[in-house]
């Protein structure tokens, strides 16, 4: 099951990188996905969650393989893995929503990195 979740996440990352490729092929213009504010916000959330989840899934895979080596006849339950993945995804989403809601950050397209990102505004703090 963990391999299926990892494969699904890798497919999601492959689909999410397509707007970056479109921007790259159109002379660094935002393209239809990044030109929209809502598209930009959706892409940032999707990208950061899927990349963070990929790292988390590798950690889960390493832990499950270690348990399998230490206790080869112990049946591992899938229920806890799925609950952990859901909790982790919600926490990452809440983290990015919290950063987006603050007044000193904004989401916008950057032609340097060919994607939308969260930018911290200059506050002129002494």
């Amino acid at each position: 099951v963990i391999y299926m979740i990892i494969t699904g996440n890798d497919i999601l990352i492959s689909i999410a990188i397509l707007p970056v490729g479109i921007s790259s092929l159109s002379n660094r213009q935002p393209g239809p996905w990044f030109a929209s504010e809502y598209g930009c916000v959706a892409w940032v959330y999707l990208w950061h969650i899927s990349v963070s989840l990929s790292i988390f899934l590798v950690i889960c895979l390493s832990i499950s393989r270690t348990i399998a080596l230490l206790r080869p006849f112990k049946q591992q339950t899938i229920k806890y893995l799925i609950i952990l993945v859901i909790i982790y995804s919600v926490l990452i989403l809440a983290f990015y929503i919290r950063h987006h809601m603050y007044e000193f950050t904004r989401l916008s397209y950057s032609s340097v990195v060919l994607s939308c990102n969260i930018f911290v505004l200059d506050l002129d703090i002494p």
Side-chain angles (χ1 to χ4, degrees), residues 105-119:
T105 62
R106 68 177 167 85
L107 286 169
S108 64
Y109 176 76
S110 169
S111 62
V112 176
V113 293
L114 298 172
S115 64
C116 293
N117 275 316
I118 299 175
F119 294 99

Side-chain angles (χ1 to χ4, degrees), residues 9-123:
N9 191 51
D10 288 343
I11 290 169
L12 186 64
I13 289 173
S14 298
I15 292 170
I17 201 70
L18 287 176
V20 177
I22 291 169
S23 295
S24 176
L25 294 173
S26 62
N27 296 325
R28 298 187 176 271
Q29 296 303 313
W33 187 265
F34 292 144
S36 163
E37 179 185 353
Y38 295 112
C40 200
V41 170
W43 186 87
V44 166
Y45 290 162
L46 178 70
W47 179 254
H48 287 289
I49 288 172
S50 59
V51 170
S52 299
L53 187 60
S54 179
I55 296 166
F56 180 73
L57 289 172
V58 170
I59 292 169
C60 290
L61 181 64
S62 299
I63 291 170
S64 71
R65 295 300 95 203
T66 303
I67 291 171
L69 288 171
L70 294 175
R71 297 187 178 178
F73 301 111
K74 180 172 173 34
Q75 180 69 29
Q76 296 182 26
T77 57
I78 300 165
K79 179 176 71 172
Y80 297 119
L81 173 68
I82 293 172
I83 291 171
L84 276 175
V85 167
I86 291 170
I87 289 172
Y88 184 78
S89 298
V90 167
L91 288 175
I92 292 297
L93 180 63
F95 174 78
Y96 282 105
I97 288 173
R98 186 192 66 162
H99 279 296
H100 182 220
M101 291 178 64
Y102 284 124
E103 295 177 2
F104 57 85
T105 62
R106 68 177 167 85
L107 286 169
S108 64
Y109 176 76
S110 169
S111 62
V112 176
V113 293
L114 298 172
S115 64
C116 293
N117 275 316
I118 299 175
F119 294 99
V120 177
L121 302 174
D122 186 19
L123 296 177

